[in-house]
Amino acid sequence: MRGAKFALQVIFSATLLVLFFSCRRQSVAENPVANKQESGDTILYQPLFADGFTAYKTQNGDTILKTSDGSFFVKEDFKKSAYIASSPALAFWNAAGALDSVSFSSSRPESWENQKIASAIREKKILYCGKYSAPDYELLASENCTLAIESLMITHAPEVKEKLEALGIPVFVDRSTLEKNPLGRLEWIVAHGILSGHFKEALAVFNSQLELISSIQKSESKNQNEKKSVAFFFVNAEGQAVVRSDDGYFSNMISLAGGLPVQLGKSEDVSLNLSIEELYALSKDADFIVYNATVTSPLKTKSELLEKSPLFKDFVAVKNDSVWTTTKALHQSPEKTGEIILEISQMLSENQKSDFIFLEKSK
């Protein structure tokens, strides 16, 4: 099992992926309670792709989520009144059918592309309670908040976690964004299903996305020489190209979609900076450009790209009208990883549809 998992993470073999899905996905869905540990604790869920969590039952019947932060006891009352300060976590809870259990959020409605989440915050079904770094402690305490879920940003404000815990509010840190394997990041929906009391629903979402990715893999038969290459970057205010590490999340999605991510460099950090001249040398022949709009505005037109540097006019993707941009929806939808990969696959094909959600062609 671990060997298959490692192979999938490293080479994303289509054959291994299809075989792995067909033989393992069903067994996990039908029998999530697997083997027992020597201590007497029972594995509730052993992730197929994610490295960041494991779930198990103790001999006393307690449910435990184990992450790099340690063992986190899951309580029944978590689903009564949760505070979520992590966009991926809120998306996961929504997808698992647990949005009614969310009472507080650190995000405003206008920040969301997902209209169900935006409406819940706008209509005050979910109360905005301040930024993650300065939540309204009095509101959370007075309204009997039962659980706080933070993103990794909380590492920049550890005093917030300490204060919440001092108020008797357990704090769970969502580490899904550390997963380089897109399927591993997607799999964190299962952890949130366990937290919210919607384990089966979360598992169903996870499996449906795996089925979609499996169907994409089955239809892909290109060899390396036939694959379309994709350069993924954005240009910052200093005029540098910001690229993701070659072994990162989006590069791996391109691979799963049947594309060939342009190798722009590896980094211990999530991203690294290149001069436009360095980017040109590495990716001028790329078949596609996908502009990363995670922390910047989507690239609506190719002329916007040319304004950033005249060198872009000589890129093959620019000449061939193959410049795309991510939308805000992509980065807020980890629960739809299979659908995102499908869109990338469709972008790479000759039969491009017009109703893309996560990608948009720059005019």
Side-chain angles (χ1 to χ4, degrees):
M1 174 60 206
R2 286 294 179 183
K5 177 182 173 184
F6 179 77
L8 277 166
Q9 290 174 321
V10 175
I11 64 174
F12 293 98
S13 162
T15 302
L16 281 174
L17 189 60
V18 173
L19 289 175
F20 191 84
F21 285 166
S22 61
C23 70
R24 281 294 293 159
R25 186 184 65 252
Q26 184 178 10
S27 64
V28 171
E30 293 180 353
N31 184 26
V33 179
N35 45 43
K36 290 190 175 182
Q37 299 176 313
E38 291 182 3
S39 64
D41 296 335
T42 304
I43 295 292
L44 173 63
Y45 187 82
Q46 179 64 54
L48 307 180
F49 308 101
D51 293 320
F53 77 93
T54 304
Y56 60 94
K57 287 275 190 181
T58 68
Q59 288 179 304
N60 296 328
D62 295 318
T63 298
I64 304 290
L65 270 175
K66 189 173 183 179
T67 72
S68 59
D69 292 318
S71 297
F72 190 84
F73 283 78
V74 179
K75 299 179 181 179
E76 181 66 24
D77 67 356
F78 282 175
K79 58 186 178 183
K80 291 182 181 178
S81 186
Y83 160 54
I84 299 184
S86 159
S87 294
L90 190 50
F92 286 143
W93 280 54
N94 176 55
L99 197 62
D100 288 344
S101 296
V102 182
S103 299
F104 314 96
S105 172
S106 64
S107 53
R108 295 187 182 277
E110 59 270 19
S111 67
W112 280 95
E113 293 292 316
N114 186 306
Q115 289 307 302
K116 185 176 180 181
I117 295 174
S119 295
I121 301 172
R122 189 179 300 112
E123 295 167 8
K124 300 190 185 305
K125 294 177 182 177
I126 297 175
L127 299 178
Y128 173 72
C129 65
K131 292 178 62 177
Y132 81 93
S133 57
D136 187 334
Y137 298 109
E138 184 176 349
L139 175 64
L140 294 173
S142 64
E143 295 294 328
N144 299 313
C145 176
T146 53
L147 169 69
I149 300 179
E150 300 283 355
S151 72
L152 287 171
M153 293 298 290
I154 199 64
T155 58
H156 301 293
E159 69 281 0
V160 173
K161 184 174 183 290
E162 293 171 5
K163 176 69 172 178
L164 290 169
E165 291 174 337
L167 291 171
I169 302 172
V171 179
F172 181 81
V173 179
D174 174 76
R175 294 181 171 273
S176 61
T177 54
L178 291 179
E179 301 284 350
K180 293 182 177 180
N181 185 339
L183 308 183
R185 189 173 296 195
L186 165 66
E187 196 165 20
W188 273 77
I189 192 173
V190 180
H192 289 284
I194 293 169
L195 284 171
S196 64
H198 288 70
F199 177 40
K200 290 183 179 179
E201 295 89 338
L203 199 58
V205 174
F206 176 57
N207 284 340
S208 69
Q209 294 295 305
L210 291 192
E211 288 170 2
L212 184 55
I213 298 168
S214 178
S215 69
I216 297 168
Q217 293 288 308
K218 287 177 182 177
S219 66
E220 290 295 337
S221 58
K222 301 182 182 70
N223 61 41
Q224 286 292 104
N225 293 328
E226 295 175 324
K227 291 183 177 182
K228 301 289 182 66
S229 55
V230 182
F232 181 64
F233 64 89
F234 76 93
V235 179
N236 64 20
E238 288 73 40
Q240 294 179 307
V242 182
V243 304
R244 296 286 182 169
S245 181
D246 290 340
D247 58 354
Y249 172 73
F250 199 85
S251 291
N252 289 332
M253 284 208 291
I254 292 171
S255 296
L256 281 170
L260 193 65
V262 174
Q263 302 296 290
L264 297 173
K266 287 189 177 182
S267 171
E268 293 288 331
D269 298 322
V270 175
S271 61
L272 61 156
N273 295 347
L274 302 176
S275 68
I276 299 300
E277 290 75 18
E278 289 172 320
L279 179 71
Y280 175 84
L282 293 167
S283 60
K284 64 182 176 65
D285 294 325
D287 296 301
F288 288 85
I289 287 173
V290 175
Y291 197 78
N292 179 8
T294 305
V295 295
T296 188
S297 299
L299 195 70
K300 294 296 184 181
T301 65
K302 289 188 297 181
S303 62
E304 292 177 34
L305 184 62
L306 297 177
E307 288 171 4
K308 298 178 187 299
S309 172
L311 279 179
F312 284 118
K313 72 178 187 300
D314 294 324
F315 279 58
V316 168
V318 174
K319 292 179 179 179
N320 293 341
D321 196 26
S322 296
V323 178
W324 292 68
T325 184
T326 63
T327 68
K328 295 299 182 184
L330 185 150
H331 308 289
Q332 293 180 346
S333 307
E335 81 286 5
K336 296 181 179 179
T337 296
E339 295 167 50
I340 295 169
I341 292 170
L342 177 61
E343 281 201 2
I344 297 172
S345 175
Q346 291 170 333
M347 177 196 76
L348 296 170
S349 74
E350 298 299 324
N351 300 313
Q352 295 172 357
K353 63 175 187 174
S354 59
D355 56 339
F356 280 79
I357 298 171
F358 308 106
L359 298 172
E360 182 180 352
K361 191 167 188 178
S362 302
K363 298 177 180 179

